[in-house]
Amino acid sequence: MKKYKLLAILLMIIGLSTAVAHGAVRASEIIYASTAALGASKTATFMVKTKVSCNQLGTTKYTLYKKGGTKVAAGILNDYGSGSLHASSVNLSPFIQSGNSYYVAAYFYADGETSSATSGTISY
Amino acid sequence: MPHDQNQSENISRDKLLHAQEDEHIANTISEDDLEKIIQAELGKQEAEVDVELLNACLRLHERIHKALSEWELARSQKKVHTGLIKTLYHKNNAGYTKRIPLRGLAFAASILLIIFGSVWMDRANFSTGSSKDQQQYIVVGIGQNEVGLVRADDIKRDSKSATFSNTKEIAPFLGYDIALPQWLPEDLELQVVTVVTTEQADTVMLTYKNLQGSVIIDVTHYSSREGTGIAFEQDERGKPVVLNSGATVYVADNLNSVWGLYQSKDLDYFIDASGFDERTLIKIFNTIGDN
């Protein structure tokens, strides 16, 4: 009888630890990748890609930073479409000055799930 | 949290963080010093690891490695690997546990992957690694805080997109052909092909489905990786897997699917398989370009 009790306790511990571990997982059932890119033309391109076809997916907002982390500009895009891939672009040339380096961060939405991506730094 | 106790005596935390943005400071820090700090951080309990400092050291270490020859790289890999094993050995003999340090080994393996991952993958001009919470696999065209010179008046490509019902229409749209896997699990049917071209890259996404699950093939051809950052969703577990051709793919889980990513300088092949196992995924990768 003691053995069964011990087994039950062990199973409970395993179950609880699995639940805790699973709770820490933030990976997505819908989104598989998101992209933020800052181009030579000073246009930022954002893309969200999903494993399943979505009714609503797209970019919610973005922030442009100067190298070092100073916030230069931010905007709410709320540019959405449907399907498995959605791309948005924003002209950031009014905020980008020659001689400086910048990067952009973006936030994405796809049928209830969210994600984010940060571009690489580019010098102009 | 006290940060300086285990650091190399001559290098402050601030100096290391600033070194990421200042090449002159970076040049004053040796590979040995970086490895000492990395090992000291890895020797701590996971909750006490200074992630910001560790990331800074790994980036600086990676930067040094990009300039190494193959022989120097192999020697350095061995040195770091030995150091990590020693660190874990000492940690395991500290008296508080006799279990095999699986978490520690997994942590060390992911650190090795972060250090050498981008160097293994064609020594290309982009950096890779997991996010702080290990929930995303990050690929950055030019590493953040590094400088990629771009001409502001460069040619601007028009962005356009289209969807097709078959693969024959991809080449006329892009103006070039792409190699696709020659094998897929039985009964998988092509649902849709989505093609998007932007200033930086052309993306082709093919979605296949059958009763068992679905497979997504995502091919991205870059005209420039500069300024591009991609976050691939994953659930803390990722590993390199070597294909029959000798090329390495990064493989990870994302809740209900398993995915793999192959990267060369200008090209990404990403394949996500829902309802199929890792063996099937690798089998698909192995047939890319087969004729």
Side-chain angles (χ1 to χ4, degrees):
Chain A
M1 195 64 184
K2 266 186 178 177
K3 277 184 184 172
Y4 286 115
K5 272 187 181 173
L6 192 65
L7 189 65
I9 291 168
L10 274 173
L11 284 172
M12 211 165 75
I13 292 169
I14 291 168
L16 278 172
S17 57
T18 307
V20 169
H22 193 73
V25 170
R26 197 211 63 195
S28 172
E29 283 189 10
I30 296 174
I31 298 168
Y32 73 77
S34 43
T35 303
L38 196 51
S41 67
K42 302 181 182 178
T43 298
T45 306
F46 311 117
M47 209 180 290
V48 60
K49 300 172 181 179
T50 60
K51 294 189 261 187
V52 291
S53 185
C54 294
N55 291 322
Q56 192 181 34
L57 80 166
T59 310
T60 53
K61 57 183 179 177
Y62 66 89
T63 308
L64 177 71
Y65 296 93
K66 201 182 266 189
K67 181 183 169 185
T70 309
K71 194 194 276 189
V72 176
I76 293 175
L77 262 185
N78 285 338
D79 178 35
Y80 304 110
S82 59
S84 300
L85 194 164
H86 186 78
S88 312
S89 59
V90 181
N91 176 15
L92 295 174
S93 59
F95 309 104
I96 293 177
Q97 295 172 334
S98 296
N100 289 320
S101 304
Y102 299 86
Y103 63 94
V104 65
Y107 296 85
F108 304 93
Y109 172 91
D111 277 3
E113 290 198 355
T114 57
S115 178
S116 62
T118 304
S119 77
T121 303
I122 281 216
S123 294
Y124 293 93
Chain B
M1 185 192 301
H3 293 303
D4 294 331
Q5 288 172 357
N6 288 325
Q7 280 180 33
S8 180
E9 287 161 15
N10 301 320
I11 305 173
S12 71
R13 184 175 187 275
D14 284 347
K15 182 178 176 181
L16 278 158
L17 296 181
H18 280 117
Q20 294 179 95
E21 296 174 11
D22 191 325
E23 203 174 327
H24 295 296
I25 297 176
N27 289 337
T28 64
I29 302 170
S30 73
E31 190 182 357
D32 276 349
D33 285 334
L34 290 173
E35 285 167 5
K36 276 180 198 166
I37 297 165
I38 290 169
Q39 284 171 27
E41 288 300 319
L42 290 174
K44 295 176 182 175
Q45 293 291 309
E46 277 177 54
E48 293 169 4
V49 172
D50 183 345
V51 178
E52 194 179 5
L53 177 68
L54 184 58
N55 275 342
C57 291
L58 291 172
R59 283 188 182 281
L60 291 168
H61 195 272
E62 184 185 301
R63 206 182 293 176
I64 291 170
H65 272 231
K66 280 181 177 166
L68 293 184
S69 67
E70 295 293 335
W71 181 81
E72 288 169 326
L73 177 65
R75 196 177 67 156
S76 184
Q77 274 179 253
K78 192 176 172 186
K79 195 172 150 195
V80 174
H81 185 257
T82 308
L84 287 173
I85 295 295
K86 273 185 189 168
T87 304
L88 288 168
Y89 176 82
H90 289 309
K91 195 174 173 181
N92 197 34
N93 283 282
Y96 65 88
T97 178
K98 287 185 179 176
R99 289 177 304 159
I100 299 168
L102 286 178
R103 283 166 69 95
L105 281 172
F107 190 52
S110 50
I111 294 301
L112 281 170
L113 181 68
I114 292 168
I115 295 173
F116 297 111
S118 65
V119 187
W120 281 333
M121 287 193 279
D122 290 351
R123 316 286 294 272
N125 196 17
F126 53 87
S127 63
T128 60
S130 292
S131 59
K132 285 180 185 174
D133 62 2
Q134 295 188 39
Q135 298 289 337
Q136 285 184 321
Y137 185 65
I138 310 287
V139 181
V140 182
I142 294 285
Q144 253 191 58
N145 305 316
E146 288 185 3
V147 174
L149 281 174
V150 180
R151 280 178 294 139
D153 296 327
D154 208 346
I155 298 164
K156 187 178 178 183
R157 296 179 53 198
D158 288 334
S159 292
K160 54 180 181 176
S161 65
T163 55
F164 306 122
S165 57
N166 63 69
T167 56
K168 287 177 185 169
E169 297 183 69
I170 299 170
F173 185 83
L174 291 177
Y176 59 89
D177 208 356
I178 55 168
L180 293 172
Q182 297 302 300
W183 178 88
L184 287 171
E186 212 171 330
D187 299 331
L188 273 180
E189 284 186 8
L190 181 64
Q191 304 292 305
V192 64
V193 181
T194 309
V195 187
V196 175
T197 66
T198 66
E199 185 180 348
Q200 292 86 5
D202 299 333
T203 299
V204 180
M205 184 181 177
L206 302 100
T207 305
Y208 295 86
K209 270 187 187 171
N210 68 7
L211 291 174
Q212 188 181 345
S214 63
V215 169
I216 290 167
I217 298 168
D218 179 344
V219 185
T220 304
H221 180 240
Y222 293 90
S223 53
S224 167
R225 282 187 184 268
E226 285 175 329
T228 299
I230 319 165
F232 294 93
E233 300 296 329
Q234 67 174 34
D235 54 6
E236 295 184 319
R237 289 178 292 272
K239 62 183 179 186
V241 173
V242 179
L243 301 177
N244 293 342
S245 63
T248 302
V249 289
Y250 179 85
V251 174
D253 293 323
N254 182 16
L255 289 185
N256 52 354
S257 66
V258 57
W259 59 261
L261 172 69
Y262 167 77
Q263 294 185 308
S264 66
K265 192 181 174 193
D266 303 322
L267 202 63
D268 285 356
Y269 274 93
F270 174 93
I271 301 176
D272 180 282
S274 298
F276 298 97
D277 59 14
E278 188 184 313
R279 281 181 60 187
T280 306
L281 176 79
I282 297 303
K283 194 173 174 183
I284 298 172
F285 264 108
N286 275 323
T287 64
I288 293 173
D290 276 359
N291 287 314

